[in-house]
mmCIF file of all heavy atoms in Angstrom:
data_model
loop_
_atom_site.group_PDB
_atom_site.id
_atom_site.type_symbol
_atom_site.label_atom_id
_atom_site.label_comp_id
_atom_site.label_asym_id
_atom_site.label_seq_id
_atom_site.Cartn_x
_atom_site.Cartn_y
_atom_site.Cartn_z
ATOM 1 N N GLY K 93 29.841 74.069 -50.781
ATOM 2 C CA GLY K 93 30.779 73.686 -49.722
ATOM 3 C C GLY K 93 31.757 72.675 -50.279
ATOM 4 O O GLY K 93 31.459 72.036 -51.314
ATOM 5 N N SER K 94 32.919 72.537 -49.655
ATOM 6 C CA SER K 94 33.833 71.512 -50.167
ATOM 7 C C SER K 94 33.310 70.131 -49.831
ATOM 8 O O SER K 94 33.647 69.150 -50.480
ATOM 9 C CB SER K 94 35.272 71.711 -49.701
ATOM 10 O OG SER K 94 35.335 71.875 -48.336
ATOM 11 N N ASP K 95 32.408 70.029 -48.852
ATOM 12 C CA ASP K 95 31.711 68.762 -48.568
ATOM 13 C C ASP K 95 31.117 68.163 -49.844
ATOM 14 O O ASP K 95 31.190 66.966 -50.080
ATOM 15 C CB ASP K 95 30.525 69.001 -47.608
ATOM 16 C CG ASP K 95 30.966 69.307 -46.200
ATOM 17 O OD1 ASP K 95 32.158 69.129 -45.878
ATOM 18 O OD2 ASP K 95 30.102 69.699 -45.391
ATOM 19 N N PHE K 120 38.923 63.945 -41.464
ATOM 20 C CA PHE K 120 37.646 64.648 -41.585
ATOM 21 C C PHE K 120 36.589 63.609 -41.960
ATOM 22 O O PHE K 120 36.737 62.889 -42.950
ATOM 23 C CB PHE K 120 37.774 65.751 -42.647
ATOM 24 C CG PHE K 120 36.530 66.569 -42.820
ATOM 25 C CD1 PHE K 120 35.929 67.198 -41.749
ATOM 26 C CD2 PHE K 120 35.942 66.713 -44.076
ATOM 27 C CE1 PHE K 120 34.777 67.947 -41.896
ATOM 28 C CE2 PHE K 120 34.794 67.453 -44.246
ATOM 29 C CZ PHE K 120 34.212 68.059 -43.154
ATOM 30 N N THR K 164 44.380 65.543 -45.624
ATOM 31 C CA THR K 164 44.068 66.905 -45.204
ATOM 32 C C THR K 164 45.376 67.545 -44.737
ATOM 33 O O THR K 164 46.049 67.016 -43.856
ATOM 34 C CB THR K 164 43.096 66.903 -43.995
ATOM 35 O OG1 THR K 164 42.080 65.961 -44.255
ATOM 36 C CG2 THR K 164 42.499 68.265 -43.774
ATOM 37 N N ASN K 168 43.149 68.269 -40.046
ATOM 38 C CA ASN K 168 42.100 68.342 -39.051
ATOM 39 C C ASN K 168 41.952 66.913 -38.521
ATOM 40 O O ASN K 168 41.701 66.011 -39.300
ATOM 41 C CB ASN K 168 40.794 68.815 -39.710
ATOM 42 C CG ASN K 168 39.655 68.952 -38.737
ATOM 43 O OD1 ASN K 168 39.835 68.819 -37.532
ATOM 44 N ND2 ASN K 168 38.455 69.209 -39.245
ATOM 45 N N ASP K 194 43.130 68.090 -49.190
ATOM 46 C CA ASP K 194 42.076 68.982 -48.688
ATOM 47 C C ASP K 194 42.781 70.101 -47.927
ATOM 48 O O ASP K 194 43.306 69.895 -46.825
ATOM 49 C CB ASP K 194 41.135 68.169 -47.800
ATOM 50 C CG ASP K 194 39.977 68.998 -47.267
ATOM 51 O OD1 ASP K 194 40.063 70.233 -47.308
ATOM 52 O OD2 ASP K 194 39.010 68.389 -46.791
ATOM 53 N N TYR K 197 42.384 74.478 -44.459
ATOM 54 C CA TYR K 197 43.014 75.386 -43.492
ATOM 55 C C TYR K 197 44.343 75.968 -44.001
ATOM 56 O O TYR K 197 45.109 76.528 -43.227
ATOM 57 C CB TYR K 197 43.267 74.627 -42.171
ATOM 58 C CG TYR K 197 41.973 74.114 -41.616
ATOM 59 C CD1 TYR K 197 41.566 72.786 -41.820
ATOM 60 C CD2 TYR K 197 41.110 74.954 -40.938
ATOM 61 C CE1 TYR K 197 40.333 72.328 -41.346
ATOM 62 C CE2 TYR K 197 39.876 74.511 -40.454
ATOM 63 C CZ TYR K 197 39.504 73.216 -40.673
ATOM 64 O OH TYR K 197 38.281 72.768 -40.234
ATOM 65 N N THR K 224 38.066 75.622 -49.329
ATOM 66 C CA THR K 224 36.760 76.082 -48.880
ATOM 67 C C THR K 224 36.751 77.591 -48.608
ATOM 68 O O THR K 224 37.781 78.160 -48.256
ATOM 69 C CB THR K 224 36.321 75.341 -47.624
ATOM 70 O OG1 THR K 224 35.061 75.831 -47.205
ATOM 71 C CG2 THR K 224 37.305 75.504 -46.463
ATOM 72 N N SER K 226 34.803 78.516 -46.211
ATOM 73 C CA SER K 226 34.166 78.471 -44.869
ATOM 74 C C SER K 226 35.074 78.913 -43.749
ATOM 75 O O SER K 226 34.583 79.150 -42.644
ATOM 76 C CB SER K 226 33.686 77.056 -44.570
ATOM 77 O OG SER K 226 32.736 76.634 -45.509
ATOM 78 N N LYS K 227 36.362 78.969 -43.937
ATOM 79 C CA LYS K 227 37.282 79.189 -42.832
ATOM 80 C C LYS K 227 37.840 80.615 -42.915
ATOM 81 O O LYS K 227 37.194 81.536 -42.504
ATOM 82 C CB LYS K 227 38.371 78.100 -42.824
ATOM 83 C CG LYS K 227 37.813 76.677 -42.934
ATOM 84 C CD LYS K 227 36.942 76.292 -41.754
ATOM 85 C CE LYS K 227 36.309 74.915 -41.940
ATOM 86 N NZ LYS K 227 35.376 74.570 -40.896
ATOM 87 N N ARG K 235 27.910 78.332 -47.962
ATOM 88 C CA ARG K 235 28.332 77.057 -48.557
ATOM 89 C C ARG K 235 29.003 77.260 -49.912
ATOM 90 O O ARG K 235 28.356 77.400 -50.936
ATOM 91 C CB ARG K 235 27.166 76.068 -48.706
ATOM 92 C CG ARG K 235 26.252 75.953 -47.527
ATOM 93 C CD ARG K 235 26.964 75.484 -46.272
ATOM 94 N NE ARG K 235 27.599 74.206 -46.453
ATOM 95 C CZ ARG K 235 28.912 73.993 -46.200
ATOM 96 N NH1 ARG K 235 29.713 74.964 -45.760
ATOM 97 N NH2 ARG K 235 29.424 72.823 -46.368
HETATM 98 C C1 PLP O 1 39.268 69.240 -43.481
HETATM 99 C C2 PLP O 1 37.952 69.807 -43.857
HETATM 100 N N1 PLP O 1 37.523 69.688 -45.094
HETATM 101 C C3 PLP O 1 36.316 70.184 -45.483
HETATM 102 C C4 PLP O 1 35.514 70.837 -44.572
HETATM 103 C C5 PLP O 1 34.162 71.305 -45.037
HETATM 104 O O1 PLP O 1 34.216 72.517 -45.580
HETATM 105 P P1 PLP O 1 32.892 73.167 -46.254
HETATM 106 O O2 PLP O 1 32.313 74.060 -45.234
HETATM 107 O O3 PLP O 1 33.454 73.887 -47.439
HETATM 108 O O4 PLP O 1 31.981 72.062 -46.677
HETATM 109 C C6 PLP O 1 35.925 70.998 -43.264
HETATM 110 C C7 PLP O 1 35.053 71.654 -42.304
HETATM 111 O O5 PLP O 1 35.220 71.721 -41.125
HETATM 112 C C8 PLP O 1 37.173 70.468 -42.894
HETATM 113 O O6 PLP O 1 37.612 70.555 -41.640
#
Side-chain angles (χ1 to χ4, degrees):
S94 51
D95 287 350
F120 181 54
T164 316
N168 181 6
D194 182 343
Y197 301 99
T224 178
S226 299
K227 311 297 175 186
R235 315 300 302 126

